[in-house]
Amino acid sequence: MLKHLLRGTALSLVASAALAAAPDAALQAALQKVAEQAKPGTLGVLVMDPATGQSVSVNAHRPYLMMSVFKAPIATAVLSQVDAGTLRLDRKVHLVPADIVGGSAVPSTGAALKSGAKDFTVDELLHAAVTQSDNTAVDALLRVLGGTATATRFLESKGVHGMRIDMGEGDLGRMFEAKGSDAVLASHVNSSTPEAAATFLRKLQAGELLSAGSTQKLLALMTAQVIPNRVRAGLPAGYQLADKTGTSGTEDGHRAAFNDIGIITAPDGSKRIVVLFLVHSPASSDQATAWFAEIGKLTAASMSR
């Protein structure tokens, strides 16, 4: 009798665990609907519960141009060297006006250089690159790091496969100017699959990429980033988002990339990872922002069910 009770209890627990971990069919359908609205652009979406590893996704099995999303992985690679003791946050980096790279969300470092050469600490460059999406700062960090290959090797070594960093913001901007958006997208430079971006975020929040102190530091920088819309705009009061956005310019009425990846934390402490990559879209920034906000709202609602 006891044997049958124990077996029944075990089967019940397995069934309950499977039910709890099952993908959210309602969320999947809602995400598909938003992706349909985004056509003729392609909207790649992935929402993951990091506690179970279960995810729902749309158009997720292909690479997307990251744009400034890549600043968070680069910052992670820099902080890994700080953790290893081979780099210090207070190390001074000398920059001159020729190092200015345009196109930043907030040109903090670049603006400071317009009056002449200046020294910045690695810590200041991290803050500018992640929180203010400053292009000059991230290209300086890549030089300190040892180049883009170092960043990609770090990600691969940590099990983040499908995310590649080939060039800095300056070189990418020149590639856009010389070859155009279609050629950039076809080359898959500076690209990530949604699965790779989700893996990066899951490993980051779990403390698998950095020390506890560096993990906390980077997540705080991502939480403080200066673009308050996109996914963040759809979250109810009490929800937090640690994210990194990325945006390209437009060419012939189409935007090559409009992105947001991040970790949503509900008031009860539960989390969801959300990855959004919109490519080759004729939509206005306001329309794309509305789609991203809707996905933020849908994700938050799924967390309360």
Side-chain angles (χ1 to χ4, degrees):
M1 179 68 176
L2 179 60
K3 182 177 180 181
H4 288 300
L5 284 173
L6 290 174
R7 181 181 299 166
T9 301
L11 289 173
S12 177
L13 289 173
V14 169
S16 296
L19 182 62
D24 189 329
L27 179 60
Q28 172 75 54
L31 296 179
Q32 183 70 54
K33 184 176 180 180
V34 178
E36 290 295 322
Q37 294 171 7
K39 290 181 177 179
T42 301
L43 178 59
V45 188
L46 189 148
V47 177
M48 174 190 287
D49 180 349
T52 65
Q54 288 289 338
S55 64
V56 293
S57 62
V58 181
N59 299 323
H61 300 289
R62 53 156 291 177
Y64 291 86
L65 178 65
M66 288 189 284
M67 296 305 297
S68 287
V69 163
F70 86 150
K71 290 168 181 170
I74 290 170
T76 309
V78 170
L79 286 167
S80 74
Q81 292 192 357
V82 173
D83 288 342
T86 57
L87 183 63
R88 292 174 57 94
L89 287 173
D90 61 0
R91 173 179 163 180
K92 296 290 183 67
V93 180
H94 186 71
L95 300 179
V96 298
D99 293 318
I100 295 173
V101 181
S104 300
V106 178
S108 53
T109 304
L113 286 174
K114 288 182 179 179
S115 60
K118 185 177 179 180
D119 289 342
F120 298 86
T121 65
V122 168
D123 196 27
E124 289 171 333
L125 293 174
L126 283 168
H127 184 277
V130 178
T131 299
Q132 300 173 314
S133 207
D134 187 283
N135 291 343
T136 303
V138 76
D139 279 14
L141 286 173
L142 278 172
R143 292 192 292 273
V144 170
L145 186 63
T148 55
T150 302
T152 301
R153 281 196 303 268
F154 166 76
L155 294 168
E156 289 283 345
S157 74
K158 293 295 185 177
V160 180
H161 306 299
M163 179 180 282
R164 51 183 278 189
I165 298 172
D166 302 275
M167 59 187 68
E169 293 280 18
D171 286 341
L172 183 61
R174 286 184 281 274
M175 185 176 180
F176 267 109
E177 291 176 3
K179 298 185 177 182
S181 295
D182 288 345
V184 172
L185 293 172
S187 71
H188 300 313
V189 296
N190 286 14
S191 65
S192 176
T193 62
E195 290 98 331
T199 298
F200 165 73
L201 292 171
R202 179 180 61 78
K203 286 177 174 287
L204 175 62
Q205 64 88 33
E208 297 177 19
L209 302 182
L210 299 169
S211 68
S214 290
T215 297
Q216 183 178 15
K217 180 181 182 66
L218 181 53
L219 289 175
L221 291 175
M222 293 169 67
T223 301
Q225 68 95 20
V226 298
I227 299 178
N229 48 27
R230 303 193 193 184
V231 170
R232 196 173 301 230
L235 299 179
Y239 284 71
Q240 291 187 328
L241 179 67
D243 69 323
K244 188 68 200 76
T245 59
T247 314
S248 75
T250 59
E251 181 179 309
D252 297 329
H254 286 73
R255 191 178 299 276
F258 190 92
N259 309 324
D260 197 3
I261 72 168
I263 304 163
I264 298 172
T265 303
D268 65 1
S270 61
K271 299 181 185 296
R272 291 293 186 276
I273 288 166
V274 59
V275 175
L276 300 177
F277 291 121
L278 177 62
V279 65
H280 207 262
S281 174
S284 67
S285 292
D286 287 346
Q287 178 60 77
T289 294
W291 289 327
F292 282 38
E294 177 65 14
I295 290 174
K297 180 180 178 180
L298 291 166
T299 302
S302 76
M303 296 171 73
S304 63
R305 287 202 289 268

